[in-house]
Short mmCIF file of all heavy atoms in Angstrom, two decimals:
data_model
loop_
_atom_site.label_atom_id
_atom_site.label_comp_id
_atom_site.label_asym_id
_atom_site.label_seq_id
_atom_site.Cartn_x
_atom_site.Cartn_y
_atom_site.Cartn_z
N LEU A 85 19.70 -34.93 -28.04
CA LEU A 85 21.14 -34.47 -28.29
C LEU A 85 21.88 -35.41 -29.20
O LEU A 85 22.64 -34.97 -30.09
CB LEU A 85 21.88 -34.48 -26.96
CG LEU A 85 21.50 -33.28 -25.93
CD1 LEU A 85 22.19 -33.67 -24.58
CD2 LEU A 85 21.92 -31.97 -26.48
N ARG A 86 21.62 -36.63 -29.11
CA ARG A 86 22.29 -37.59 -30.03
C ARG A 86 21.86 -37.44 -31.47
O ARG A 86 22.67 -37.39 -32.37
CB ARG A 86 22.01 -39.06 -29.59
CG ARG A 86 22.64 -40.14 -30.44
CD ARG A 86 22.40 -41.50 -29.84
NE ARG A 86 21.06 -41.68 -29.62
CZ ARG A 86 20.13 -42.06 -30.58
NH1 ARG A 86 20.53 -42.20 -31.86
NH2 ARG A 86 18.91 -42.27 -30.25
N ARG A 87 20.48 -37.27 -31.65
CA ARG A 87 19.94 -37.21 -33.04
C ARG A 87 20.13 -35.86 -33.65
O ARG A 87 20.51 -35.73 -34.82
CB ARG A 87 18.42 -37.54 -32.99
CG ARG A 87 18.15 -39.04 -32.59
CD ARG A 87 16.61 -39.21 -32.56
NE ARG A 87 16.01 -38.90 -33.88
CZ ARG A 87 14.75 -38.56 -34.02
NH1 ARG A 87 14.00 -38.40 -32.94
NH2 ARG A 87 14.26 -38.38 -35.28
N ARG A 88 20.05 -34.82 -32.87
CA ARG A 88 20.00 -33.44 -33.46
C ARG A 88 21.38 -32.76 -33.35
O ARG A 88 21.72 -31.95 -34.14
CB ARG A 88 19.07 -32.57 -32.76
CG ARG A 88 17.55 -33.08 -32.75
CD ARG A 88 17.13 -33.30 -34.28
NE ARG A 88 15.77 -33.83 -34.29
CZ ARG A 88 15.21 -34.41 -35.38
NH1 ARG A 88 15.95 -34.60 -36.49
NH2 ARG A 88 13.95 -34.85 -35.29
N ALA A 89 22.22 -33.18 -32.34
CA ALA A 89 23.53 -32.49 -32.19
C ALA A 89 24.72 -33.41 -32.37
O ALA A 89 25.87 -33.03 -32.27
CB ALA A 89 23.61 -31.77 -30.85
N GLY A 90 24.45 -34.74 -32.44
CA GLY A 90 25.49 -35.71 -32.55
C GLY A 90 26.27 -35.90 -31.25
O GLY A 90 27.42 -36.28 -31.25
N LEU A 91 25.65 -35.61 -30.10
CA LEU A 91 26.33 -35.64 -28.82
C LEU A 91 25.72 -36.74 -28.02
O LEU A 91 24.49 -36.89 -27.78
CB LEU A 91 26.25 -34.31 -28.08
CG LEU A 91 26.71 -33.04 -28.65
CD1 LEU A 91 26.53 -31.86 -27.71
CD2 LEU A 91 28.19 -33.17 -29.07
N ASP A 92 26.59 -37.61 -27.50
CA ASP A 92 26.20 -38.57 -26.54
C ASP A 92 27.33 -38.87 -25.59
O ASP A 92 28.39 -38.27 -25.68
CB ASP A 92 25.68 -39.88 -27.22
CG ASP A 92 26.75 -40.50 -28.12
OD1 ASP A 92 27.92 -40.01 -28.16
OD2 ASP A 92 26.41 -41.46 -28.87
N GLY A 93 27.21 -39.91 -24.72
CA GLY A 93 28.28 -40.31 -23.85
C GLY A 93 28.81 -39.19 -23.02
O GLY A 93 28.15 -38.47 -22.36
N VAL A 94 30.15 -39.10 -23.04
CA VAL A 94 30.79 -38.12 -22.15
C VAL A 94 30.47 -36.64 -22.52
O VAL A 94 30.30 -35.78 -21.61
CB VAL A 94 32.29 -38.41 -22.12
CG1 VAL A 94 32.98 -38.10 -23.48
CG2 VAL A 94 33.01 -37.56 -21.01
N LYS A 95 30.32 -36.32 -23.78
CA LYS A 95 29.96 -35.00 -24.10
C LYS A 95 28.55 -34.58 -23.56
O LYS A 95 28.44 -33.48 -23.06
CB LYS A 95 30.01 -34.81 -25.67
CG LYS A 95 31.38 -34.81 -26.34
CD LYS A 95 31.31 -34.45 -27.73
CE LYS A 95 32.75 -34.35 -28.31
NZ LYS A 95 32.65 -33.89 -29.79
N ALA A 96 27.63 -35.53 -23.68
CA ALA A 96 26.29 -35.26 -23.08
C ALA A 96 26.46 -35.15 -21.58
O ALA A 96 25.78 -34.32 -20.93
CB ALA A 96 25.35 -36.32 -23.52
N GLY A 97 27.30 -35.99 -21.03
CA GLY A 97 27.57 -35.96 -19.60
C GLY A 97 28.08 -34.66 -19.10
O GLY A 97 27.76 -34.12 -18.07
N LEU A 98 29.00 -34.06 -19.93
CA LEU A 98 29.63 -32.78 -19.54
C LEU A 98 28.53 -31.68 -19.60
O LEU A 98 28.53 -30.77 -18.75
CB LEU A 98 30.65 -32.45 -20.54
CG LEU A 98 32.06 -33.10 -20.34
CD1 LEU A 98 32.96 -32.91 -21.54
CD2 LEU A 98 32.76 -32.55 -19.13
N LEU A 99 27.65 -31.74 -20.56
CA LEU A 99 26.56 -30.73 -20.60
C LEU A 99 25.69 -30.85 -19.21
O LEU A 99 25.40 -29.83 -18.67
CB LEU A 99 25.67 -30.94 -21.80
CG LEU A 99 26.22 -30.43 -23.10
CD1 LEU A 99 25.31 -30.86 -24.28
CD2 LEU A 99 26.39 -28.85 -23.09
N ARG A 100 25.35 -32.06 -18.87
CA ARG A 100 24.55 -32.20 -17.69
C ARG A 100 25.39 -31.77 -16.41
O ARG A 100 24.75 -31.22 -15.48
CB ARG A 100 24.07 -33.69 -17.56
CG ARG A 100 23.06 -34.11 -18.57
CD ARG A 100 22.69 -35.54 -18.34
NE ARG A 100 21.73 -36.05 -19.31
CZ ARG A 100 20.37 -35.88 -19.26
NH1 ARG A 100 19.86 -35.15 -18.22
NH2 ARG A 100 19.61 -36.34 -20.17
N GLU A 101 26.63 -32.06 -16.47
CA GLU A 101 27.43 -31.75 -15.28
C GLU A 101 27.67 -30.24 -15.10
O GLU A 101 27.70 -29.78 -13.98
CB GLU A 101 28.80 -32.45 -15.41
CG GLU A 101 29.80 -32.23 -14.30
CD GLU A 101 29.51 -32.99 -13.08
OE1 GLU A 101 28.50 -33.77 -13.07
OE2 GLU A 101 30.20 -32.89 -12.04
N LEU A 102 27.83 -29.60 -16.21
CA LEU A 102 28.30 -28.12 -16.12
C LEU A 102 27.27 -27.08 -16.43
O LEU A 102 27.46 -25.91 -16.08
CB LEU A 102 29.45 -27.97 -17.14
CG LEU A 102 30.72 -28.82 -16.85
CD1 LEU A 102 31.71 -28.71 -17.93
CD2 LEU A 102 31.36 -28.54 -15.56
N CYS A 103 26.10 -27.44 -16.90
CA CYS A 103 25.12 -26.49 -17.26
C CYS A 103 24.01 -26.49 -16.13
O CYS A 103 23.63 -27.55 -15.58
CB CYS A 103 24.35 -26.89 -18.56
SG CYS A 103 25.31 -26.61 -20.06
N PRO A 104 23.47 -25.27 -15.90
CA PRO A 104 22.32 -25.23 -14.93
C PRO A 104 21.12 -25.95 -15.61
O PRO A 104 20.97 -25.96 -16.84
CB PRO A 104 22.08 -23.76 -14.74
CG PRO A 104 22.69 -23.09 -15.97
CD PRO A 104 23.91 -23.98 -16.32
N PRO A 105 20.23 -26.51 -14.81
CA PRO A 105 19.18 -27.27 -15.41
C PRO A 105 18.28 -26.53 -16.40
O PRO A 105 17.86 -27.09 -17.46
CB PRO A 105 18.27 -27.74 -14.22
CG PRO A 105 19.22 -27.78 -13.08
CD PRO A 105 20.18 -26.65 -13.37
N GLU A 106 18.04 -25.26 -16.15
CA GLU A 106 17.21 -24.44 -17.01
C GLU A 106 17.83 -24.33 -18.44
O GLU A 106 17.20 -24.13 -19.43
CB GLU A 106 16.92 -23.05 -16.46
CG GLU A 106 18.11 -22.24 -16.18
CD GLU A 106 18.65 -22.43 -14.71
OE1 GLU A 106 18.35 -23.55 -14.12
OE2 GLU A 106 19.45 -21.59 -14.22
N ALA A 107 19.15 -24.33 -18.46
CA ALA A 107 19.91 -24.20 -19.80
C ALA A 107 19.65 -25.44 -20.70
O ALA A 107 19.66 -25.31 -21.91
CB ALA A 107 21.37 -23.91 -19.63
N LEU A 108 19.36 -26.54 -20.08
CA LEU A 108 19.14 -27.82 -20.83
C LEU A 108 17.80 -27.83 -21.48
O LEU A 108 17.59 -28.64 -22.42
CB LEU A 108 19.36 -28.99 -19.97
CG LEU A 108 20.75 -29.13 -19.35
CD1 LEU A 108 20.76 -30.33 -18.30
CD2 LEU A 108 21.86 -29.37 -20.45
N THR A 109 16.88 -27.05 -21.08
CA THR A 109 15.47 -27.04 -21.58
C THR A 109 15.23 -25.88 -22.53
O THR A 109 14.09 -25.80 -23.10
CB THR A 109 14.49 -27.07 -20.47
OG1 THR A 109 14.74 -25.85 -19.58
CG2 THR A 109 14.66 -28.28 -19.62
N ASP A 110 16.17 -24.99 -22.72
CA ASP A 110 15.98 -23.77 -23.61
C ASP A 110 16.90 -24.04 -24.77
O ASP A 110 18.10 -24.11 -24.66
CB ASP A 110 16.38 -22.56 -22.79
CG ASP A 110 16.34 -21.27 -23.70
OD1 ASP A 110 15.14 -20.88 -23.96
OD2 ASP A 110 17.36 -20.88 -24.14
N THR A 111 16.33 -24.01 -25.93
CA THR A 111 17.08 -24.35 -27.16
C THR A 111 18.29 -23.42 -27.31
O THR A 111 19.43 -23.87 -27.66
CB THR A 111 16.19 -24.25 -28.38
OG1 THR A 111 15.16 -25.31 -28.33
CG2 THR A 111 16.93 -24.60 -29.65
N ALA A 112 18.01 -22.10 -27.31
CA ALA A 112 19.15 -21.11 -27.49
C ALA A 112 20.30 -21.35 -26.41
O ALA A 112 21.52 -21.33 -26.84
CB ALA A 112 18.62 -19.75 -27.42
N SER A 113 19.90 -21.51 -25.28
CA SER A 113 20.89 -21.66 -24.14
C SER A 113 21.65 -23.05 -24.29
O SER A 113 22.89 -23.04 -24.19
CB SER A 113 20.26 -21.71 -22.80
OG SER A 113 19.59 -20.48 -22.50
N LEU A 114 20.95 -24.06 -24.79
CA LEU A 114 21.65 -25.37 -24.92
C LEU A 114 22.57 -25.27 -26.11
O LEU A 114 23.76 -25.75 -25.97
CB LEU A 114 20.60 -26.37 -25.21
CG LEU A 114 21.00 -27.78 -25.42
CD1 LEU A 114 21.81 -28.34 -24.20
CD2 LEU A 114 19.86 -28.80 -25.68
N ALA A 115 22.21 -24.65 -27.23
CA ALA A 115 23.09 -24.51 -28.35
C ALA A 115 24.39 -23.65 -27.97
O ALA A 115 25.38 -24.08 -28.31
CB ALA A 115 22.37 -23.89 -29.50
N ALA A 116 24.07 -22.59 -27.22
CA ALA A 116 25.30 -21.78 -26.79
C ALA A 116 26.18 -22.51 -25.94
O ALA A 116 27.44 -22.45 -25.99
CB ALA A 116 24.75 -20.50 -26.09
N ALA A 117 25.69 -23.41 -25.01
CA ALA A 117 26.46 -24.13 -24.17
C ALA A 117 27.26 -25.24 -24.93
O ALA A 117 28.46 -25.47 -24.61
CB ALA A 117 25.63 -24.85 -23.09
#
């Protein structure tokens, strides 16, 4: 996430907090989130 999307820290934390686990492993779902 840091290298490819420029996201780390609290933004990455929000993704983990608010996304279902399966969305984090699917590229299309992760980008949409």
